[in-house]
Amino acid sequence: MTKDEYIEMLRQDSERSPYFYKSYWFRVLNPFLIDREIWRFQKLLRKCEYLYSKEGGFVLKIRKYYFSWKFKKLSIKLGFTIPCGCFGAGLKILHRGTIVVNANAKIGKNCTLNAGVNIGTKAGEEGQCPQLGNNIFIGPGAKLFGKIYIADGCAIGANAVVTKSFLEPNMIIAGVPAKVIGKVKRDLS
């Protein structure tokens, strides 16, 4: 990842983040901004992705260690288990709370995550993780398991359990087990 790609990812994340405020004084003086740590988490996620894509000497190793330590500490505080390199640009995390993503999962651009989301493998299928397209919305408590693919523009409902692929774009997926219940009427980005 080049520095320009890193800066562009941060810019796209900031445009979608509800916790990024352009006004410094609004951030400092507003006593109701309790979740600005989510934006700090996203900045550290992108910083670690950038640093670990580079080769270098001793100083770079110290920087990698320092930012990894800060990232891990904030991850534990917020309840996030989100590894580097899984999400495309434009990630939007709406709430703090448990979010677990397997390191082998691949999620496209402009993904929106809620609390309680789990994206991982099925038991006994190590390394076979979901692949999600662009502009995906994942509702609170949704679980996505196994080697599945979700097409662009899909919305996954609250507490849905998705264990099979949905290849048609712009569908609403919900239920246990998940099935298509409708079509998305607007752009989710």
Side-chain angles (χ1 to χ4, degrees):
M1 174 187 295
T2 66
K3 188 166 188 169
D4 290 337
E5 291 172 335
Y6 162 64
I7 291 169
E8 180 60 21
M9 276 191 132
L10 272 180
R11 187 191 64 75
Q12 290 181 29
D13 285 354
S14 69
E15 285 178 357
R16 296 195 73 238
S17 176
Y19 307 111
F20 176 78
Y21 302 97
K22 293 183 178 26
S23 168
Y24 172 78
W25 292 109
F26 181 77
R27 290 192 315 258
V28 171
L29 298 176
N30 190 340
F32 301 106
L33 291 179
I34 60 170
D35 278 333
R36 61 181 165 221
E37 287 92 5
I38 294 173
W39 174 239
R40 279 190 25 231
F41 170 84
Q42 286 186 240
K43 288 193 304 185
L44 284 170
L45 173 70
R46 299 306 185 190
K47 183 76 165 184
C48 289
E49 289 174 350
Y50 170 65
L51 290 174
Y52 278 91
S53 69
K54 297 177 67 163
E55 296 289 328
F58 180 71
V59 174
L60 181 62
K61 288 182 182 179
I62 296 296
R63 289 185 74 209
K64 286 179 182 180
Y65 177 79
Y66 173 73
F67 284 106
S68 296
W69 175 76
K70 285 182 71 168
F71 176 71
K72 182 179 179 182
K73 188 175 170 183
L74 191 55
S75 295
I76 292 168
K77 179 180 179 182
L78 295 173
F80 299 160
T81 306
I82 300 176
C84 294
C86 290
F87 289 90
L91 174 63
K92 183 178 187 179
I93 302 173
L94 294 177
H95 305 284
R96 55 174 69 203
T98 305
I99 298 174
V100 179
V101 179
N102 189 291
N104 295 320
K106 295 295 175 208
I107 297 101
K109 295 181 177 183
N110 299 329
C111 178
T112 303
L113 290 175
N114 278 282
V117 170
N118 190 325
I119 302 172
T121 62
K122 283 184 182 177
E125 294 181 12
E126 296 299 317
Q128 296 186 359
C129 292
Q131 293 184 4
L132 284 65
N134 298 325
N135 303 319
I136 302 287
F137 175 87
I138 305 174
K143 312 292 185 250
L144 293 83
F145 295 105
K147 189 172 181 165
I148 61 173
Y149 179 77
I150 306 295
D152 292 348
C154 287
I156 300 168
N159 296 318
V161 177
V162 184
T163 58
K164 65 179 184 172
S165 295
F166 291 91
L167 303 176
E168 191 174 343
N170 301 319
M171 302 311 284
I172 300 172
I173 303 164
V176 181
K179 62 184 177 207
V180 174
I181 62 167
K183 191 153 181 73
V184 174
K185 303 217 183 323
R186 63 178 180 81
D187 185 20
L188 295 176
S189 63

